[in-house]
Amino acid sequence: MINVTIWNEYVHEKIHDEVKAVYPDGLHKAIADGLAGESFAIRTATLDEPEHGLTDEVLNTTDVLIWWGHMAHDRVSDEITAKVVQRVQQGMGFIVLHSGHFSKPFKALMGTSCDLKWREAGEQEIIWCVNPSHPIAEGIDSKIVLDQEEMYGEFFDIPTPDELVFVSNFEGGEVFRSGCTFRRGSGKIFYFRPGHETYPTYYKPEVLKVISNAVKWAYPAHNAQPVFGKSEPVRPFKEILV
């Protein structure tokens, strides 16, 4: 059983009617419902809960953390950010969705601005699979077509991904690296681009399938943690010299 925590700032849905109309119970609930058929133990957390819902107990028992944020990145505390980063480095999987590219934890883990070009015009997005043998692409056709989405365009200021699984193109001619993997310490990270709050992207089966695949891929291996610091020789030096 994979323990999954879905974190959503849950701000747009409370103050913007056009968002509430699409996600009346929040994006986190839509994603949780979409993943409910999988063998995951799912819980949700939101910005306004104590410690943003990410207490030590929650983080320490989370195998994979899914993160969606947009208009309240600055309200996430530096303390919680540091704890998320530490847990990823210790092995917790981290899936960052859409505008979560600008979240404090993702930027801290990337070490870059994570900035990009954008335009909100309800354009068609085609998400092309460029790594069909990757586990995150399992069960996905050569492309996912979204009739309406927000445009993200290059240059996307991230480190060179360890693996590129998806790229997108938009009606205006832009392209974007929309499915990227990274490793930090013992943790695996997947950034997945689609998911603007005014479009029903998280009801689309193919999008949910990618997220589900990413959860399974990012699940920690539970290998022995590396040991650092002063170390004694494996055998006496005289044996080495003989």
Side-chain angles (χ1 to χ4, degrees):
M1 183 73 72
I2 301 177
N3 295 313
V4 179
T5 300
I6 302 171
W7 191 90
N8 172 28
E9 65 183 26
Y10 196 31
V11 175
H12 282 290
E13 302 94 320
K14 296 178 180 178
I15 63 175
H16 295 145
D17 290 341
E18 65 271 27
V19 179
K20 188 174 183 179
V22 180
Y23 297 106
D25 298 312
L27 284 94
H28 54 296
K29 183 65 161 56
I31 296 169
D33 288 348
L35 299 179
E38 302 288 349
S39 56
F40 304 149
I42 298 174
R43 61 188 161 199
T44 62
T46 58
L47 179 70
D48 289 334
E49 295 177 45
E51 299 183 66
H52 310 322
L54 299 175
T55 63
D56 288 345
E57 180 182 358
V58 168
L59 284 175
N60 290 337
T61 56
T62 295
D63 295 315
V64 180
L65 176 62
I66 299 174
W67 190 283
W68 194 100
H70 186 197
M71 66 182 297
H73 297 311
D74 60 333
R75 290 176 54 193
V76 175
S77 77
D78 292 341
E79 180 182 3
I80 296 301
T81 296
K83 289 182 178 182
V84 170
V85 169
Q86 181 182 49
R87 281 288 293 124
V88 173
Q89 292 170 337
Q90 291 171 343
M92 182 180 72
F94 191 38
I95 299 172
V96 179
L97 302 176
H98 191 59
S99 45
H101 73 90
F102 232 36
S103 66
K104 285 184 176 181
F106 187 66
K107 290 171 73 173
L109 287 160
M110 295 298 103
T112 58
S113 75
C114 298
D115 215 340
L116 45 78
K117 296 184 178 71
W118 63 273
R119 177 176 61 249
E120 188 180 345
E123 300 172 57
Q124 183 189 75
E125 175 183 5
I126 303 179
I127 304 169
W128 296 93
C129 179
V130 295
N131 195 346
S133 65
H134 197 283
I136 294 176
E138 182 181 351
I140 302 299
D141 291 334
S142 62
K143 63 183 181 297
I144 300 172
V145 180
L146 302 176
D147 293 332
Q148 289 188 308
E149 254 297 347
E150 179 181 18
M151 186 282 292
Y152 279 7
E154 296 287 348
F155 176 62
F156 185 16
D157 186 19
I158 54 174
T160 301
D162 293 337
E163 301 162 302
L164 187 59
V165 186
F166 301 104
V167 297
S168 292
N169 71 279
F170 297 86
E171 289 183 45
E174 292 85 1
V175 297
F176 192 76
R177 290 169 289 169
S178 54
C180 308
T181 74
F182 307 89
R183 291 175 185 263
R184 294 293 184 270
S186 298
K188 291 182 280 188
I189 303 166
F190 179 59
Y191 172 75
F192 192 39
R193 197 222 71 85
H196 187 66
E197 66 274 6
T198 59
Y199 306 123
T201 300
Y202 293 123
Y203 298 113
K204 193 168 182 68
E206 298 95 322
V207 170
L208 293 165
K209 176 64 173 173
V210 170
I211 296 172
S212 173
N213 288 346
V215 167
K216 296 170 185 175
W217 170 82
Y219 180 67
H222 298 297
N223 294 341
Q225 289 294 314
V227 177
F228 302 104
K230 183 180 179 182
S231 179
E232 297 299 324
V234 176
R235 57 184 180 176
F237 284 116
K238 64 180 180 180
E239 294 184 18
I240 298 174
L241 296 174
V242 170

